[in-house]
PDB file of all heavy atoms in Angstrom:
ATOM      1  N   GLN A  35     -39.405 -27.440 -39.349  1.00 92.00           N
ATOM      2  CA  GLN A  35     -38.815 -27.475 -40.752  1.00 92.00           C
ATOM      3  C   GLN A  35     -37.422 -26.948 -40.707  1.00 92.00           C
ATOM      4  O   GLN A  35     -37.038 -26.138 -41.517  1.00 92.00           O
ATOM      5  CB  GLN A  35     -39.721 -26.608 -41.710  1.00 92.00           C
ATOM      6  CG  GLN A  35     -41.092 -27.299 -41.981  1.00 92.00           C
ATOM      7  CD  GLN A  35     -41.046 -28.620 -42.697  1.00 92.00           C
ATOM      8  OE1 GLN A  35     -40.601 -28.705 -43.755  1.00 92.00           O
ATOM      9  NE2 GLN A  35     -41.518 -29.698 -41.998  1.00 92.00           N
ATOM     10  N   CYS A  36     -36.639 -27.495 -39.738  1.00 94.00           N
ATOM     11  CA  CYS A  36     -35.248 -26.969 -39.549  1.00 94.00           C
ATOM     12  C   CYS A  36     -34.369 -27.790 -40.601  1.00 94.00           C
ATOM     13  O   CYS A  36     -34.455 -28.913 -40.740  1.00 94.00           O
ATOM     14  CB  CYS A  36     -34.735 -27.266 -38.173  1.00 94.00           C
ATOM     15  SG  CYS A  36     -35.687 -26.288 -36.902  1.00 94.00           S
ATOM     16  N   SER A  37     -33.430 -26.941 -41.227  1.00 93.00           N
ATOM     17  CA  SER A  37     -32.417 -27.648 -42.122  1.00 93.00           C
ATOM     18  C   SER A  37     -31.502 -26.625 -42.449  1.00 93.00           C
ATOM     19  O   SER A  37     -31.634 -25.360 -42.185  1.00 93.00           O
ATOM     20  CB  SER A  37     -33.142 -28.118 -43.405  1.00 93.00           C
ATOM     21  OG  SER A  37     -33.734 -27.104 -44.087  1.00 93.00           O
ATOM     22  N   PHE A  38     -30.242 -26.963 -42.980  1.00 95.00           N
ATOM     23  CA  PHE A  38     -29.342 -26.052 -43.478  1.00 95.00           C
ATOM     24  C   PHE A  38     -29.896 -25.391 -44.600  1.00 95.00           C
ATOM     25  O   PHE A  38     -30.571 -25.948 -45.542  1.00 95.00           O
ATOM     26  CB  PHE A  38     -27.990 -26.732 -43.873  1.00 95.00           C
ATOM     27  CG  PHE A  38     -27.204 -27.089 -42.665  1.00 95.00           C
ATOM     28  CD1 PHE A  38     -27.236 -28.475 -42.128  1.00 95.00           C
ATOM     29  CD2 PHE A  38     -26.441 -26.184 -42.048  1.00 95.00           C
ATOM     30  CE1 PHE A  38     -26.436 -28.820 -41.128  1.00 95.00           C
ATOM     31  CE2 PHE A  38     -25.597 -26.601 -40.943  1.00 95.00           C
ATOM     32  CZ  PHE A  38     -25.606 -27.888 -40.452  1.00 95.00           C
ATOM     33  N   PRO A  39     -29.639 -24.077 -44.820  1.00 92.00           N
ATOM     34  CA  PRO A  39     -30.116 -23.355 -46.081  1.00 92.00           C
ATOM     35  C   PRO A  39     -29.697 -24.014 -47.303  1.00 92.00           C
ATOM     36  O   PRO A  39     -28.495 -24.399 -47.466  1.00 92.00           O
ATOM     37  CB  PRO A  39     -29.536 -21.958 -45.857  1.00 92.00           C
ATOM     38  CG  PRO A  39     -29.371 -21.771 -44.396  1.00 92.00           C
ATOM     39  CD  PRO A  39     -28.967 -23.112 -43.810  1.00 92.00           C
ATOM     40  N   ASP A  40     -30.487 -24.079 -48.325  1.00 89.00           N
ATOM     41  CA  ASP A  40     -30.164 -24.671 -49.575  1.00 89.00           C
ATOM     42  C   ASP A  40     -29.230 -23.902 -50.404  1.00 89.00           C
ATOM     43  O   ASP A  40     -29.120 -22.598 -50.168  1.00 89.00           O
ATOM     44  CB  ASP A  40     -31.433 -25.009 -50.379  1.00 89.00           C
ATOM     45  CG  ASP A  40     -32.344 -26.098 -49.736  1.00 89.00           C
ATOM     46  OD1 ASP A  40     -31.841 -26.775 -48.864  1.00 89.00           O
ATOM     47  OD2 ASP A  40     -33.567 -25.993 -50.014  1.00 89.00           O
ATOM     48  N   VAL A  41     -28.471 -24.582 -51.138  1.00 88.00           N
ATOM     49  CA  VAL A  41     -27.602 -23.823 -52.204  1.00 88.00           C
ATOM     50  C   VAL A  41     -28.489 -22.994 -53.155  1.00 88.00           C
ATOM     51  O   VAL A  41     -29.440 -23.598 -53.693  1.00 88.00           O
ATOM     52  CB  VAL A  41     -26.742 -24.796 -52.915  1.00 88.00           C
ATOM     53  CG1 VAL A  41     -26.037 -24.090 -54.139  1.00 88.00           C
ATOM     54  CG2 VAL A  41     -25.722 -25.425 -52.007  1.00 88.00           C
ATOM     55  N   ALA A  42     -28.196 -21.785 -53.251  1.00 76.00           N
ATOM     56  CA  ALA A  42     -29.067 -20.914 -54.242  1.00 76.00           C
ATOM     57  C   ALA A  42     -28.262 -20.466 -55.361  1.00 76.00           C
ATOM     58  O   ALA A  42     -27.345 -19.667 -55.230  1.00 76.00           O
ATOM     59  CB  ALA A  42     -29.579 -19.694 -53.413  1.00 76.00           C
ATOM     60  N   PRO A  43     -28.406 -21.103 -56.458  1.00 70.00           N
ATOM     61  CA  PRO A  43     -27.674 -20.771 -57.734  1.00 70.00           C
ATOM     62  C   PRO A  43     -27.953 -19.316 -58.141  1.00 70.00           C
ATOM     63  O   PRO A  43     -29.089 -18.955 -58.112  1.00 70.00           O
ATOM     64  CB  PRO A  43     -28.009 -21.856 -58.672  1.00 70.00           C
ATOM     65  CG  PRO A  43     -29.362 -22.317 -58.268  1.00 70.00           C
ATOM     66  CD  PRO A  43     -29.334 -22.205 -56.773  1.00 70.00           C
ATOM     67  N   SER A  44     -26.943 -18.631 -58.581  1.00 66.00           N
ATOM     68  CA  SER A  44     -27.201 -17.362 -59.150  1.00 66.00           C
ATOM     69  C   SER A  44     -27.705 -17.405 -60.571  1.00 66.00           C
ATOM     70  O   SER A  44     -28.418 -16.472 -61.132  1.00 66.00           O
ATOM     71  CB  SER A  44     -26.013 -16.476 -58.970  1.00 66.00           C
ATOM     72  OG  SER A  44     -24.866 -16.976 -59.654  1.00 66.00           O
ATOM     73  N   GLY A  45     -27.251 -18.395 -61.337  1.00 64.00           N
ATOM     74  CA  GLY A  45     -27.568 -18.634 -62.743  1.00 64.00           C
ATOM     75  C   GLY A  45     -28.859 -19.482 -62.827  1.00 64.00           C
ATOM     76  O   GLY A  45     -29.649 -19.720 -61.861  1.00 64.00           O
ATOM     77  N   PRO A  46     -29.150 -19.949 -64.079  1.00 64.00           N
ATOM     78  CA  PRO A  46     -30.291 -20.859 -64.280  1.00 64.00           C
ATOM     79  C   PRO A  46     -30.146 -22.119 -63.422  1.00 64.00           C
ATOM     80  O   PRO A  46     -29.053 -22.708 -63.226  1.00 64.00           O
ATOM     81  CB  PRO A  46     -30.145 -21.225 -65.764  1.00 64.00           C
ATOM     82  CG  PRO A  46     -29.411 -20.135 -66.383  1.00 64.00           C
ATOM     83  CD  PRO A  46     -28.473 -19.718 -65.216  1.00 64.00           C
TER      84      PRO A  46
END
Side-chain angles (χ1 to χ4, degrees):
Q35 295 296 297
C36 298
S37 63
F38 283 101
D40 294 339
V41 170
S44 58

